[in-house]
Amino acid sequence: MTCQELDERLDGWVDGELDARAAAEVEAHLAACALCQERERRLRQLLAHAASLPRSLTPPRDLWPGIARRVERERSWSWAGGLQPWALAAAATVVVGLVAVLWTGRAPSAVRTVEIPAATPEARLAALPSVSDPVVAAAERDYEAAANALLEALQQRQAEIRPETLVAVRANLEVIDRALAEVREALVKNPSNPELNRMLVATHRKKVDVLRRVVRLSTAL
Amino acid sequence: MEGLAGAVLGETLTHMRDNEDRRAAERRLVQAAQNGDLLAFERLYRENERKVFALCLRLSSDAALAEELTQEVFVRAWRKLASFRGESAFSSWLYPLTVNVALSERRARRRRDARIFATDDPASLERAPGVPRPEAGFDLQKAMASLPPGARAVFVLHDVEGRTHEEIAAMLDLAPGTSKAQLFRARRLLREALGS
């Protein structure tokens, strides 16, 4: 066995992974070669040092406050407020998905006849439990009115819009409406939660944004 | 002789009871945290932060990044807590999550800012008392930082943390043979870097 060959087997040797024959060859070479003995000694020393490194180290500062802040923020946005994370994620991807469908014309389903949902009757909002923050309640009424106006505009153009697009619009509006219902429900349980108030307004804004984009893009296509 | 055997057995049983008590206490903390108790989760954090931080530091070779990675690990652990069924120790459940976060975050950051070694001296964090360096000039931590990330990860997990190639292969999504090849490569590079 040459020194080069021993070098290639040294790791297997120190890890005890060589078969009996290979191990005997390495042993015989080591017994006769001071240079390789030194190599072996150095490798074992490296491994001993690596194994002696502490597996526990105290971070130089307290990392918990940063973790707690992030966890609290996520909690107030999701399940602790009674809101399902899927609804938030789905609502957040609606705009991108819709624009993609409008421009590519790819059909998410084979349904050929679909209608844009009717504008929400004003009575529906009035019948829901009231949002306690008057500013949020007013914003909600304004957004609902804007959404209704856009829905009516979209219905008038319905015949000009591709059925696949209508399927996507309808599906996405349903997602947003479900998210709105969940935020609202959570807000009734936790009326003072500022994140939920912001979420409600942001989701309304998203709905109006989506409708506005659809109206604009449908006229451009 | 009987007295000695009895003492050893007694010590072993005490140790087992201690372990059982610890596991039971940990299970209660996990259940409380799964029900949204942030204080219980903080206790779990305090129990495990040092191990997680050490592993993040070794895998990233960057003290500032290791702090961020540690925080990220526990935020993700909070999100995934519902999937922990208590079949293993919490620290065992946390281990692959830590490896995954440390390696994936580091890859993402390297793409963003090509950061290599941002800390002044990460080795200063780990000169634990009573652990002498084997020889003058033998700066293993610095040499580890210069390894390619894949080879470093396997070296850390195998030779520092004592994991098997099978465990490493499962965590890093590699074949065990690839893990072995990366380990030998890392050792060879370290031996060269350390002048042997």
Side-chain angles (χ1 to χ4, degrees):
Chain A
M1 173 180 275
T2 65
C3 294
Q4 171 73 33
E5 285 167 341
L6 181 125
D7 196 45
E8 286 163 10
R9 292 184 180 181
L10 200 51
D11 289 292
W13 164 252
V14 298
D15 287 344
E17 289 179 350
L18 298 185
D19 59 36
R21 188 177 163 180
E25 286 173 5
V26 168
E27 204 166 5
H29 181 94
L30 283 173
C33 179
L35 186 67
C36 288
Q37 281 174 23
E38 179 61 11
R39 275 186 183 150
E40 184 204 17
R41 189 187 73 79
R42 293 277 189 153
L43 178 55
R44 289 193 188 279
Q45 189 178 44
L46 167 70
L47 300 188
H49 189 41
S52 75
L53 289 174
R55 294 184 201 172
S56 290
L57 291 169
T58 305
R61 65 186 173 94
D62 186 4
L63 304 176
W64 174 251
I67 297 166
R69 253 195 315 278
R70 287 180 61 188
V71 168
E72 284 287 10
R73 199 182 313 138
E74 292 197 7
R75 247 184 0 171
S76 68
W77 275 53
S78 56
W79 52 267
L83 193 63
Q84 297 300 316
W86 68 264
L88 295 178
T93 56
V94 156
V95 173
V96 175
L98 261 183
V99 171
V101 166
L102 283 165
W103 284 111
T104 62
R106 271 208 298 259
S109 117
V111 179
R112 305 301 296 174
T113 55
V114 65
E115 289 183 354
I116 288 292
T120 312
E122 281 178 26
R124 194 203 70 154
L125 197 59
L128 291 172
S130 62
V131 174
S132 61
D133 187 321
V135 177
V136 175
E140 204 181 11
R141 279 194 300 276
D142 289 346
Y143 275 122
E144 192 85 4
N148 281 342
L150 287 163
L151 277 170
E152 280 167 13
L154 208 53
Q155 277 190 320
Q156 285 167 12
R157 293 200 177 89
Q158 191 159 325
E160 301 152 30
I161 302 172
R162 282 197 302 264
E164 306 89 73
T165 306
L166 288 177
V167 171
V169 171
R170 190 182 176 100
N172 284 303
L173 286 177
E174 279 172 7
V175 169
I176 294 184
D177 281 339
R178 276 206 301 277
L180 270 175
E182 291 221 16
V183 180
R184 218 165 189 291
E185 199 179 317
L187 199 49
V188 171
K189 287 179 197 158
N190 301 288
S192 58
N193 188 320
E195 289 296 343
L196 288 173
N197 275 305
R198 272 196 288 277
M199 278 296 300
L200 185 69
V201 174
T203 312
H204 272 297
R205 190 186 306 130
K206 198 171 287 291
K207 181 175 177 178
V208 168
D209 265 359
V210 167
L211 286 167
R212 196 177 287 141
R213 277 166 191 253
V214 174
V215 170
R216 197 166 55 233
L217 286 171
S218 67
T219 53
L221 287 171
Chain B
M1 192 67 186
E2 272 179 23
L4 181 61
V8 171
L9 185 61
E11 201 171 294
T12 307
L13 286 174
T14 306
H15 182 65
M16 283 171 68
R17 266 199 299 274
D18 284 352
N19 272 345
E20 281 171 21
D21 288 349
R22 239 197 318 273
R23 286 290 298 276
E26 186 182 89
R27 271 198 296 274
R28 283 194 295 275
L29 281 177
V30 169
Q31 277 167 4
Q34 284 172 329
N35 290 326
D37 183 342
L38 199 52
L39 280 175
F41 189 62
E42 182 180 358
R43 289 272 304 280
L44 291 168
Y45 163 77
R46 299 282 176 211
E47 290 286 323
N48 292 280
E49 60 169 332
R50 298 176 78 246
K51 280 185 184 171
V52 170
F53 176 72
L55 185 53
C56 287
L57 180 67
R58 304 216 183 290
L59 290 171
S60 67
S61 291
D62 181 328
L65 180 55
E67 290 179 21
E68 289 176 39
L69 292 173
T70 302
Q71 290 182 315
E72 183 64 28
V73 167
F74 283 97
V75 170
R76 289 203 203 173
W78 171 264
R79 284 183 203 146
K80 290 171 170 257
L81 209 50
S83 69
F84 177 61
R85 294 183 195 159
E87 289 156 352
S88 60
F90 184 70
S91 57
S92 304
W93 180 75
L94 212 50
Y95 198 91
L97 178 65
T98 305
V99 172
N100 184 276
V101 167
L103 296 183
S104 59
E105 283 291 310
R106 183 164 173 89
R107 269 196 297 272
R109 276 158 201 266
R110 211 174 48 247
R111 277 198 297 273
R112 279 203 298 273
D113 54 19
R115 189 175 179 179
I116 298 167
F117 198 84
T119 185
D120 292 339
D121 183 12
S124 67
L125 285 164
E126 62 176 73
R127 281 175 203 143
V131 184
R133 292 172 174 217
E135 286 176 12
F138 190 93
D139 195 339
L140 181 56
Q141 180 64 35
K142 212 163 207 167
M144 280 161 57
S146 68
L147 289 174
R152 180 174 56 233
V154 174
F155 179 80
V156 166
L157 294 173
H158 189 278
D159 285 348
V160 179
E161 298 276 325
R163 300 285 162 158
T164 65
H165 284 297
E166 285 69 27
E167 288 172 325
I168 296 167
M171 278 187 276
L172 304 187
D173 198 18
L174 300 171
T178 308
S179 170
K180 208 175 277 188
Q182 289 277 38
L183 178 69
F184 294 172
R185 182 180 176 217
R187 287 177 180 172
R188 183 164 297 118
L189 290 169
L190 286 173
R191 280 159 59 202
E192 285 168 13
L194 299 168
S196 57

